Amino acid sequence: MDKFVYDVVVIGAGGAGLRAAIEARLAGKRVAIISKSLFGKAHTVMAEGGAAAAMGNVNSNDNWMVHFRDTMRGGKFLNNFRMAELHAKESPDRIWELETYGALFDRTKDGRISQRNFGGHEYPRLAHVGDRTGLELIRTLQQKIVSLQQEDKAEYGDYEARIRVFAECTITELFVTEGRISGAFGYFRESGDFVLFETPAVVLATGGVGKSYKVTSNSWEYTGDGHALALRAGAKLINMEFLQFHPTGMVWPPSVKGILVTESVRGDGGVLKNTEGKRFMFNYVPDVFRKQYAETEAEADRWYTDPDNNRRPPELLPRDEVARAINSEVKAGRGTKAGGVYLDIASRLPAEQIRKRLPSMYHQFKELADVDITSAPMEVGPTCHYVMGGIEVDPDSAAAAVEGLFAAGECSGGMHGSNRLGGNSLSDLLVFGKRAGEHAASYVDALPARPKVAASDVDSATQAALAPLERKDGDNPYALQHELQEIMGDLVGIIRREGELAAAIKKLGELRARVAAVSATGGRRYNPGWHLALDLRNMLIVSECTAIAALEREESRGGHTREDFPKMEPKWRKVNLVCGMGPNGEVTLEHQPVPTMRDDLLNLFDKSELAKYLTDEELPA
Amino acid sequence: MSKRKFRIWRGDATGGELKNYQVEVNEGEVVLDVIHRLQATEEPDLACRWNCKAGKCGSCSMEINGMPRLSCMTRMSTFEETETVTVTPLRTFPVIRDLVTDVSFNYEKAREMPAFAPPVGLKPGEYRMQQMDVERSQEFRKCIECFLCQNTCHVVRDHEENKKEFAGPRYFIRAAELDMHPLDAKTDRKELAQQQQGLGFCNITKCCTEVCPEHIKITDNAIIPMKERVVDRRYDPLVMLGRKILRRDQIAPLASTEPAVHAGPVVVDETKAPVDFGRELLPPMGAAVNAKGKVDLNEMLSDRSAAASPFGDDVQFPVDPTALNYYHPDKL
């Protein structure tokens, strides 16, 4: 078995992981980046819209306070206010920093970074590059890491002297010695060989959990590894009931079901219509948003050219509202055969403009579905997209409950509350990626002695990893994954009910024994069946957290919609549901108060607005 | 829904073979869907890379009926019902297992590519660039690193020996991207492409452009301008004219004149006699020799159609008299 010693091991090579690694390396630490896929392929590339940062380049009225307000509103006030505050304050710096790494964002006329409108953001705020902002981000960070390696090569004669990328490597276990992180264990996909990292600090940046769902925009990697590793190491997960279903994923053709159609299609003038040709979003504007959104098509249409004197079109409502509206239209029988509605930009903008503004969207539809979005409407519907819940961290340091464990990006929780605004995830991963890297480095500095990995832990991790290959009579991992996806998609989906959730928990419990006894055929070299068998237990435990928390929260808020409790309850706003792991590997659940917002932040809101979210006694005098 | 014939290469570095499969194919599916169905049914350990399944990450590169393609972007409807679809791993890179190859070559080349050099004196947030100026580089930043261009390029496809000196189309567009970056502080990107990346190997067959799933005009917009501009600097008419009318010491040294050693400005003592062999003159740049100290004979390595001059590329014949240890008597 290969053994490596590092100061900081970053698990995950998406935006958050790479940003954390850069920061830890800049702090002088020796850093390993563990990438489940090849370097530069992480799911971050899928982000299309942009990165939200209140730079005020397009509308100078924008500032961190407005961004903070939007984020809290979007998350229905369940956000960790401190994270939302740090995020709003620091994201402009994180974006500007990327330019010094070589990023090329689209520009305003005066040469600054251009910013675009996006659902839930009061001003144009998203730094973007056409509709491939995520790719720009990942490539920029990837290239920054290469440039740091070049500096190390010049100094030490070795590219990998202080930062090394372990591509196609999966971590299956974290080791904790006397309450502190001591190492990580995993395997290389290519050879099937095991690897041990001895390290006092681990940054989890493994992304989301979407692969537990039938219809998802997430790739195979999104199996909740970080969530599960943290649970097993003794950390907690919060807000796991909140999953974001992107309102507009492709529903046709079937092979690309789930692939996202960026919100900027709507920001640039696209409208949603049902099969009767009606622009239905006007019927779904909730009271809390009534004031900010147009009531007539004429006013909505004027907004695109004159946003100061008109209210926004309801197509730009937060994602959960749009997803719910589409779901209702389809359930009322006004959806397409494939279970979606129409998103029409073809009749709204000239073909030339569409190709210019939405190049990769145009390209994607043309190539994948042979649909020309400049001449025909798209067929779209809700698809599992993002998990708001994740590892509970300290807002300033990104530290989890276990000493030496840090988390950033989608796998951490709290920042987005019950619903994430579009564009906030790219800035989230930069802001908290940097913080995680920085604090992991200072944690290592302050450590008197490095904890040692126990040999028995390594043995049991090895045995657990090899077990599926040795068993012959267990279920096929693909079949189990399919069953899990069916359960989650059908029973813990976008609209939830008590009976279905209870049934899901029961079925997941039954699945548990079968997942524990799964068997994989073939050898250890690049064997996807074996890899899936090892991922399954992560997917299962995280799915259980979601189902149990979803049953507990008897209200509808953001990314959690209970048909039997359709209203948002101020008393539930004060509660975070926290999942942990019991002694026998079972999921535990407890209520924990949401941190109380400081007065200076509370005063940024109108009292009338606060009244929609807070209980009477919480309201400022 | 119908059963379709597939032939998929199975094996590893020690060898392998094409295996036949009959797979169910549904309307609207792509080749990657079929591979996933095979994994979920009869071949759970069939190795294949993929991530986004939307043509954005560039992981699922393979050769389909001999064509380098992204399998997530290859619709089954593009084949005849009766056609057998043959899927093989990328040929240019060593096989790991089944459809997975070792693409570390590309990451090594990426590391040799000098990084973006931030402009001195500009703080974060102070960068100002015009949209039309960033657009040229943005085209190249669309690259999803699927490495299909690297795989298809004939310079390395069947020529393992060229891999050492040739970075490949992916890194030529990276060089072009940085060269065209409005604020990149490094000014010798073209020369580096010529001297260190092996741009001269490319003889513009455009195979890379043809296979690019992002439709980046690799050859026309990156490679040719990079080649032309390297030549431009050497043969720019103004520079040529300058060479004719100016003394050698008045000509700004070319960035591409490495490994020439310049002794600094010439001090001309006008009081001296017509011939003075002791006068210090700029030595010629020396021949453009390769690592073995020889002039390359292969024109593919050169940036012009003829062979390199053994006297050094900055020596023009007839020799400019002002650059000799000789003053015309009229000047005395």
Side-chain angles (χ1 to χ4, degrees):
Chain A
M1 186 189 319
D2 286 333
K3 197 173 95 173
F4 298 95
V5 181
Y6 280 94
D7 297 328
V8 177
V9 169
V10 178
I11 305 176
L18 298 186
R19 189 64 191 80
I22 289 170
E23 203 59 23
R25 156 64 181 74
L26 290 175
K29 294 288 160 283
R30 289 189 71 240
V31 186
I33 300 169
I34 316 293
S35 176
K36 209 170 167 182
S37 296
L38 291 174
F39 188 29
K41 304 296 179 198
H43 204 63
T44 309
V45 302
M46 297 293 282
E48 295 173 335
M55 296 182 282
N57 290 351
V58 171
N59 190 321
S60 57
N61 292 326
D62 200 13
N63 57 43
W64 76 265
M65 291 169 277
V66 187
H67 191 181
F68 171 77
R69 275 205 301 259
D70 289 347
T71 302
M72 292 301 294
R73 271 175 201 143
K76 304 283 190 286
F77 275 69
L78 200 78
N79 319 49
N80 181 307
F81 74 88
R82 177 66 180 157
M83 288 179 94
E85 180 196 3
L86 289 171
H87 169 260
K89 281 181 174 167
E90 292 176 5
S91 26
D93 285 337
R94 294 291 83 76
I95 298 293
W96 286 323
E97 196 169 66
L98 291 180
E99 287 201 302
T100 70
Y101 300 171
L104 280 175
F105 292 102
D106 287 348
R107 318 306 296 184
T108 59
K109 281 216 174 68
D110 62 350
R112 295 160 196 266
I113 296 174
S114 171
Q115 299 186 268
R116 68 156 53 118
N117 278 305
F118 224 69
H121 293 281
E122 193 171 333
Y123 296 116
R125 189 177 286 145
L126 270 65
H128 57 94
V129 186
D131 46 11
R132 52 161 195 87
T133 315
L135 176 67
E136 182 70 13
L137 217 83
I138 202 93
R139 204 62 84 224
T140 300
L141 294 170
Q142 181 185 350
Q143 287 164 352
K144 175 64 180 176
I145 282 173
V146 167
S147 90
L148 291 171
Q149 289 181 323
Q150 289 171 348
E151 287 173 24
D152 291 345
K153 163 92 170 165
E155 198 174 340
Y156 304 98
D158 178 7
Y159 286 116
E160 293 173 339
R162 290 200 286 177
I163 188 163
R164 177 164 170 188
V165 181
F166 292 84
E168 300 203 306
C169 178
T170 305
I171 297 297
T172 60
E173 216 63 75
L174 296 180
F175 297 131
V176 178
T177 306
E178 288 164 5
R180 292 170 180 271
I181 289 290
S182 58
F185 173 90
Y187 60 87
F188 292 110
R189 291 173 79 74
E190 184 176 315
S191 58
D193 291 342
F194 294 123
V195 56
L196 172 66
F197 294 94
E198 290 185 340
T199 178
V202 165
V203 177
L204 291 170
T206 55
V209 305
K211 217 50 205 167
S212 308
Y213 281 81
K214 209 164 37 172
V215 184
T216 175
S217 62
N218 295 173
S219 84
W220 68 271
E221 296 179 289
Y222 264 36
T223 51
D225 293 4
H227 292 78
L229 287 171
L231 269 185
R232 289 202 293 268
K236 308 276 184 201
L237 305 183
I238 63 167
N239 298 343
M240 287 306 291
E241 64 276 34
F242 298 110
L243 279 155
Q244 191 167 62
F245 287 77
H246 194 286
T248 56
M250 277 170 91
V251 298
W252 184 260
S255 63
V256 288
K257 202 166 178 167
I259 292 178
L260 301 186
V261 180
T262 172
E263 235 158 85
S264 43
V265 171
R266 281 171 282 137
D268 282 340
V271 295
L272 290 163
K273 290 177 180 167
N274 59 25
T275 45
E276 294 165 4
K278 186 175 153 49
R279 196 171 158 184
F280 59 81
M281 280 308 296
F282 289 96
N283 303 342
Y284 294 92
V285 183
D287 289 337
V288 285
F289 290 114
R290 189 78 66 197
K291 263 206 240 158
Q292 290 108 305
Y293 287 85
E295 279 166 52
T296 63
E297 293 196 19
E299 180 182 4
D301 287 347
R302 283 196 302 270
W303 176 86
Y304 297 106
T305 48
D306 182 13
D308 289 336
N309 298 311
N310 294 285
R311 289 174 298 174
R312 310 158 65 81
E315 277 83 8
L316 296 179
L317 275 163
R319 294 176 165 191
D320 54 325
E321 307 289 355
V322 179
R324 214 173 299 158
I326 295 175
N327 201 61
S328 306
E329 285 296 306
V330 173
K331 286 210 165 156
R334 295 186 291 269
T336 66
K337 235 197 293 176
V341 295
Y342 293 112
L343 174 53
D344 179 20
I345 185 136
S347 68
R348 313 259 310 163
L349 282 179
E352 185 53 34
Q353 281 276 337
I354 298 173
R355 277 194 293 268
K356 176 95 184 62
R357 289 200 199 185
L358 305 161
S360 71
M361 218 63 254
Y362 169 76
H363 178 79
Q364 191 178 30
F365 272 79
K366 191 77 195 140
E367 302 245 342
L368 293 174
D370 206 14
V371 168
D372 183 355
I373 62 169
T374 66
S375 67
M378 304 167 231
E379 256 184 87
V380 298
T383 174
C384 179
H385 177 50
Y386 189 90
V387 60
M388 269 69 72
I391 302 156
E392 187 184 25
V393 290
D394 171 70
D396 287 82
S397 66
V402 180
E403 291 220 44
L405 187 64
F406 299 80
E410 188 172 352
C411 76
S412 68
M415 156 71 207
H416 303 289
S418 68
N419 186 30
R420 177 184 65 94
L421 292 187
N424 268 4
S425 66
L426 288 186
S427 39
D428 164 27
L429 55 84
L430 293 172
V431 168
F432 294 102
K434 176 185 183 285
R435 283 182 163 270
E438 184 183 323
H439 286 90
S442 58
Y443 167 80
V444 175
D445 284 336
L447 207 57
R450 297 204 170 190
K452 290 260 178 306
V453 175
S456 58
D457 284 350
V458 181
D459 289 342
S460 52
T462 310
Q463 279 163 19
L466 283 176
L469 286 172
E470 285 157 2
R471 279 189 292 261
K472 295 288 165 241
D473 46 2
D475 284 290
N476 169 335
Y478 295 94
L480 285 176
Q481 184 192 26
H482 185 76
E483 275 185 53
L484 175 68
Q485 290 171 336
E486 293 271 321
I487 296 170
M488 294 305 285
D490 295 344
L491 306 175
V492 199
I494 181 166
I495 309 291
R496 299 159 177 178
R497 297 169 193 86
E498 184 182 353
E500 290 182 353
L501 290 169
I505 293 166
K506 186 160 170 284
K507 286 187 173 195
L508 290 171
E510 288 161 9
L511 215 51
R512 176 178 275 259
R514 292 167 63 202
V515 165
V518 63
S519 61
T521 56
R524 279 167 68 173
R525 289 174 67 83
Y526 220 109
N527 181 347
W530 178 41
H531 304 154
L532 178 59
L534 295 176
D535 289 343
L536 271 174
R537 64 173 181 157
N538 296 345
M539 295 166 71
L540 181 68
I541 188 104
V542 173
S543 298
E544 285 187 295
C545 289
T546 297
I548 289 169
L551 180 62
E552 181 78 3
R553 184 174 284 276
E554 296 184 330
E555 66 157 350
S556 293
R557 179 185 297 271
H560 170 68
T561 304
R562 284 284 296 265
E563 201 178 67
D564 38 359
F565 299 95
K567 284 229 175 66
M568 194 157 77
E569 294 290 341
K571 69 171 177 143
W572 272 105
R573 193 208 65 82
K574 298 193 284 182
V575 180
N576 274 333
L577 295 177
V578 181
C579 295
M581 189 182 261
N584 303 314
E586 75 280 9
V587 173
T588 61
L589 183 82
E590 52 191 286
H591 290 220
Q592 189 174 289
V594 173
T596 312
M597 204 191 295
R598 294 198 316 267
D599 283 347
D600 59 319
L601 297 175
L602 212 52
N603 291 334
L604 296 173
F605 297 89
D606 279 349
K607 199 179 166 196
S608 63
E609 181 174 11
L610 291 176
K612 291 171 196 162
Y613 300 103
L614 307 187
T615 56
D616 291 341
E617 58 270 29
E618 286 176 287
L619 285 175
Chain B
M1 188 176 86
S2 59
K3 287 262 184 187
R4 302 275 280 267
K5 265 191 252 163
F6 267 75
R7 297 173 76 209
I8 298 179
W9 196 88
R10 302 293 312 270
D12 55 27
T14 60
E17 56 175 355
L18 284 165
K19 283 185 75 176
N20 290 305
Y21 298 97
Q22 289 273 338
V23 207
E24 202 179 274
V25 173
N26 300 313
E27 195 193 335
E29 287 189 333
V30 292
V31 170
L32 187 57
D33 289 310
V34 178
I35 290 169
H36 283 164
R37 182 159 303 122
L38 266 174
Q39 285 180 329
T41 53
E42 42 189 313
E43 298 284 359
D45 66 337
L46 169 59
C48 147
R49 278 197 186 105
W50 71 284
N51 275 46
C52 74
K53 209 174 164 291
K56 284 175 177 286
C57 75
S59 300
C60 62
S61 303
M62 47 189 79
E63 300 196 0
I64 299 166
N65 288 350
M67 269 296 284
R69 306 286 303 258
L70 291 179
S71 58
C72 72
M73 301 282 281
T74 307
R75 276 180 280 134
M76 285 306 297
S77 61
T78 57
F79 304 106
E80 297 290 327
E81 282 275 325
T82 52
E83 197 175 346
T84 301
V85 180
T86 306
V87 188
T88 50
L90 297 179
R91 192 167 91 196
T92 306
F93 309 116
V95 167
I96 292 173
R97 221 180 125 244
D98 302 341
L99 301 173
V100 175
T101 56
D102 176 1
V103 292
S104 54
F105 163 76
N106 303 292
Y107 291 97
E108 282 157 24
K109 293 297 171 186
R111 279 212 292 230
E112 289 164 12
M113 177 81 229
F116 170 71
V120 182
L122 279 187
K123 290 205 267 305
E126 293 178 351
Y127 286 32
R128 297 288 178 275
M129 295 175 261
Q130 289 305 309
Q131 183 61 33
M132 63 176 294
D133 294 331
V134 299
E135 265 168 17
R136 294 194 304 169
S137 294
Q138 282 181 336
E139 177 188 4
F140 308 128
R141 289 185 74 83
K142 286 197 305 194
C143 171
I144 56 173
E145 297 199 335
C146 63
F147 306 128
L148 289 178
C149 58
Q150 304 284 86
N151 170 63
T152 203
C153 180
H154 64 90
V155 176
V156 284
R157 187 164 170 90
D158 289 311
H159 295 279
E160 195 62 31
E161 70 279 9
N162 286 342
K163 280 187 180 169
K164 194 166 165 285
E165 286 162 71
F166 186 71
R170 165 40 186 142
Y171 300 100
F172 298 148
I173 65 170
R174 170 75 172 138
E177 169 216 318
L178 289 166
D179 184 51
M180 297 174 189
H181 191 300
L183 293 176
D184 178 49
K186 218 166 152 46
T187 54
D188 57 352
R189 301 274 179 200
K190 302 162 207 74
E191 288 75 16
L192 288 174
Q194 190 70 36
Q195 289 164 359
Q196 291 175 13
Q197 291 190 289
L199 184 68
F201 277 90
C202 166
N203 54 359
I204 317 189
T205 51
K206 298 201 180 186
C207 310
C208 49
T209 307
E210 214 167 286
V211 299
C212 179
E214 285 293 308
H215 307 298
I216 298 170
K217 295 202 171 70
I218 303 174
T219 320
D220 290 352
N221 292 354
I223 295 179
I224 291 176
M226 290 297 276
K227 276 176 177 271
E228 276 175 351
R229 293 173 69 177
V230 169
V231 176
D232 276 358
R233 289 223 176 152
R234 289 167 176 246
Y235 295 112
D236 183 293
L238 270 177
V239 175
M240 292 273 275
L241 188 65
R243 284 173 172 234
K244 290 218 159 66
I245 60 175
L246 299 174
R247 279 202 316 275
R248 178 194 288 265
D249 58 286
Q250 294 172 312
I251 301 169
L254 288 172
S256 59
T257 51
E258 281 176 22
V261 182
H262 293 282
V266 183
V267 184
V268 179
D269 185 351
E270 299 282 343
T271 63
K272 287 278 166 78
V275 178
D276 176 2
F277 290 103
R279 201 173 115 216
E280 237 183 298
L281 268 180
L282 199 67
M285 72 190 278
V289 291
N290 59 25
K292 291 178 195 138
K294 299 264 183 347
V295 173
D296 276 314
L297 294 179
N298 185 347
E299 74 167 45
M300 286 224 300
L301 293 173
S302 177
D303 58 358
R304 77 211 64 192
S305 52
S309 163
F311 300 98
D313 288 337
D314 62 344
V315 177
Q316 311 247 337
F317 293 99
V319 174
D320 177 3
T322 60
L324 295 175
N325 277 344
Y326 172 79
Y327 288 124
H328 194 274
D330 289 355
K331 288 212 78 175
L332 287 172

